[in-house]
Each structure stands twice: as C-alpha cells, then as structure tokens.
C-alpha cells in the first residue's frame, strides 16, 4: 500500500496502464543514466514501443494485453552496446516505483511494483549471466566473448 498517498486511485484497466507507461517513459527519457539508451543506443521508435509496453503491462496485471514479445532478447541485444548493469536496473526500478506512487495506490499498484522488481532481477541476471546466442559475436568484448564461448560449450549438441 502507498501510505504516503492513500487517497490515490488504484490501477483499474488499460487507460490507467497507458497513463502509467506514458508518465514513466517521460521520466526515463530525461534520465541521465537511461534516456540515451533508448534514444541513442536502441533508437527507439516511441510510436511502436509505447503500445508494446501498454500490452506488456496489461498482460502482466490483467492478463488481457496480448503481449507477445521477447524481453530477454530485447535487453540482451543492448549488452554489447552499453552498460546494462545493476546501477541501470536499480535506477529503472526507482523511477518505476516513483511513477507508480505518484499516480496510484492499492493492491494493483503494489503488484505492478513487485512484478517490475522480479522482472528486473530476471532480466539483469539473464542478460549478464548467460549471453544471448543471437549476439553478433563480432561486437562482443573479450570478457563477453569468453562467456559466450563457455555458454556455447555447455549447450547440448
Ligand atoms: C536498465 C534498465 C532497462 C533499460 C535501459 C531498458 C531498455 C529497453 C530498450 C532500449 C528496449 C527496446 C525498445 C525498442 O524497441 O527500441 C526495451 C524493451 C522492453 N523493455 Fe526494457 N529496459 C530496462 C528494464 C526493463 C525492465 C525491468 C522491464 C520489465 C519490468 C522492461 C520491459 C521491457 C519490455 C517488455 C520491452 C519490449 C520487449 C519486446 O519488444 O519484446 N525493461 N527496454
């Protein structure tokens, strides 16, 4: 429960998800640590990314969004190009929690923050622990190359 703003409404459906996602990425895009990852590294098309994120969070919260992406691959692809460490994920989570708390309060608001935390942990460890086999090997750092070779050696033939 958000004790600071108990008078705020809870997330109730797709329009609330859209409000949350729009507000969150407005903050993210201005953030020193994260903004350039979207606008300069991934060159995100916001007209397609935002609806994908509405679908993602609607699917997580209400099981109706029809999200069919691949978040691990989408983030693993960024690892050879920019820092995607604990600092970045912690910052992402802080901004996400702050945005939720500025707009909503209640069980769904709590649930979406918990889901975000779980997803952040899974994404962080998957993309940094086991390299995605779809990496372009030419762009890996020596350390990533060594991990990639180890990962491939461990795969069943
Ligand atoms: C360091 C933190 C993070 C950064 C910098 C980041 C950045 C990005 C970028 C650049 C994309 C691709 C956008 C494009 O299409 O251009 C993306 C996609 C996405 N992100 Fe993140 N992200 C972060 C954390 C998270 C977390 C914690 C979640 C979930 C709770 C998440 C959920 C997603 C989803 C669902 C997609 C779409 C995947 C798809 O298209 O299949 N991200 N993210």
């Amino acid at each position: 429960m958000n004790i600071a703003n108990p008078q705020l409404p809870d997330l109730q459906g797709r329009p609330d998800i859209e409000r949350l996602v729009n507000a969150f990425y407005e903050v993210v895009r201005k953030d020193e640590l994260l903004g350039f990852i979207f606008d300069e590294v991934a060159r995100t098309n916001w007209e397609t990314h935002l609806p994908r994120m509405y679908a993602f969070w609607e699917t997580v919260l209400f099981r109706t969004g029809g999200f069919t992406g691949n978040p691990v691959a989408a983030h693993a692809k960024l690892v050879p190009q920019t820092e995607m460490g604990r600092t970045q994920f912690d910052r992402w989570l802080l901004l996400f929690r702050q945005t939720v708390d500025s707009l909503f309060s209640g069980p769904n608001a709590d649930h979406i923050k918990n889901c975000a935390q779980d997803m952040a942990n899974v994404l962080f460890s998957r993309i940094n622990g086991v390299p995605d086999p779809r990496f372009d090997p030419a762009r890996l750092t020596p350390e990533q190359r060594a991990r990639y070779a180890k990962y491939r050696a461990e795969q069943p033939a």
Side-chain angles (χ1 to χ4, degrees):
M1 195 63 156
N2 180 3
I3 293 155
N5 291 295
Q7 77 278 19
L8 290 173
D10 202 0
L11 282 142
Q12 266 146 26
R14 173 70 174 225
D16 291 336
I17 298 272
E18 293 189 10
R19 231 178 115 212
L20 171 64
V21 168
N22 289 341
F24 174 62
Y25 284 103
E26 222 169 272
V27 176
V28 166
R29 287 185 78 174
K30 288 192 205 121
D31 188 72
E32 217 178 297
L33 204 60
L34 301 178
F36 78 96
I37 301 181
F38 292 86
D39 284 316
E40 285 163 42
V41 177
R43 296 176 192 273
T44 298
N45 176 346
W46 291 97
E47 282 179 23
T48 55
H49 184 56
L50 291 176
R52 202 173 293 147
M53 297 311 295
Y54 306 149
F56 172 73
W57 284 117
E58 190 186 336
T59 303
V60 169
L61 208 53
F62 304 114
R63 311 202 175 272
T64 50
F67 175 77
T68 56
N70 184 342
V72 172
H75 297 89
K77 191 162 84 177
L78 300 170
V79 172
Q81 304 177 65
T82 191
E83 256 338 287
M84 286 292 284
R86 200 63 245 181
T87 311
Q88 284 71 21
F89 277 93
D90 284 346
R91 180 83 190 148
W92 189 105
L93 274 173
L94 176 72
L95 300 180
F96 191 81
R97 285 196 200 102
Q98 285 177 344
T99 311
V100 173
D101 288 345
S102 71
L103 296 169
F104 302 103
S105 166
N108 286 341
D110 290 342
H111 187 57
I112 206 167
K113 285 184 284 182
N114 288 336
C115 289
Q117 166 131 13
D118 292 345
M119 281 285 302
N121 290 339
V122 169
L123 284 175
F124 168 76
S125 55
R126 290 286 304 276
I127 69 176
N128 290 293
V130 181
D132 189 291
R134 282 160 285 193
F135 277 170
D136 174 359
R139 303 186 66 164
L140 298 179
T141 65
E143 193 267 335
Q144 283 168 332
R145 200 180 298 277
R147 269 196 283 133
Y148 179 67
K150 183 167 172 284
Y151 170 70
R152 274 195 310 185
E154 284 166 359
Q155 294 310 297

